[in-house]
Amino acid sequence: MATTPDPRLLPHEVAQWARGAGLPLDPGRLDLVTATANHIRSVIAVLRDLDLDLDLDPAEGVPVSAHPARGAEEGRDDAAV
């Protein structure tokens, strides 16, 4: 049975990314920052798996409802909704 690699970031990877972004980390904070980064990654993975049934604008990849003028363009009066 094949195993999948562990997607969690390791402290040395977090330190490298931080240095690359111009944000060197104090060694005392590295474990906390690594845990936070891994938590954020796990939340994003769950959100990506959710079917939010959004009406996305394919040109921009954002919900159509995020365009305030879209209703007027399509002949709808937003105040009547």
Side-chain angles (χ1 to χ4, degrees):
M1 176 187 288
T3 60
T4 57
D6 189 347
R8 290 179 294 177
L9 294 170
L10 299 174
H12 74 274
E13 294 171 315
V14 171
Q16 183 180 3
W17 283 43
R19 276 191 308 275
L23 302 167
L25 292 173
D26 179 71
R29 297 188 60 209
L30 187 55
D31 288 339
L32 179 61
V33 173
T34 300
T36 301
N38 282 317
H39 179 73
I40 291 169
R41 287 180 64 155
S42 69
V43 169
I44 290 171
V46 169
L47 291 173
R48 284 185 175 147
D49 288 340
L50 293 177
D51 180 8
L52 299 176
D53 194 29
L54 296 175
D55 184 15
L56 297 179
D57 180 342
E60 297 179 27
V62 297
V64 173
S65 60
H67 296 283
R70 183 63 53 99
E73 292 172 5
E74 296 176 358
R76 293 185 304 215
D77 183 5
D78 289 339
V81 175

